[in-house]
Amino acid sequence: MKVLHILRSEPDETVEKFTAEMSTDNTASVVGLYDGLVDWPTLVDKIFENDKVICWW
């Protein structure tokens, strides 16, 4: 399963543990929105390419 994690803010230790644990048996990628350099068209493409999308505040 392909999983995309979208991070709204810089991840703390708990979020990092959750994303790592959810990614162990899956192909996962992470996109951080907090750095301000977001390629929005590419992000939309990634959302549709993945089986599951998890948004973290």
Side-chain angles (χ1 to χ4, degrees), residues 1 6 11-15 17 21 23-26 29 32-36 39 42 44 46 50-53 55-56:
M1 178 183 303
I6 300 176
D12 60 9
E13 192 174 306
T14 305
V15 172
K17 286 181 184 178
E21 186 66 32
S23 302
T24 55
D25 294 334
N26 302 305
S29 56
L33 303 180
Y34 52 88
D35 59 6
D39 182 359
T42 302
V44 171
K46 285 184 179 184
N50 286 271
D51 302 310
K52 183 184 286 188
V53 177
C55 299
W56 299 90

Side-chain angles (χ1 to χ4, degrees), residues 1-19:
M1 178 183 303
K2 293 175 61 175
V3 179
L4 173 64
H5 297 278
I6 300 176
L7 306 175
R8 171 70 177 97
S9 58
E10 193 165 351
D12 60 9
E13 192 174 306
T14 305
V15 172
E16 288 178 348
K17 286 181 184 178
F18 277 125
T19 56

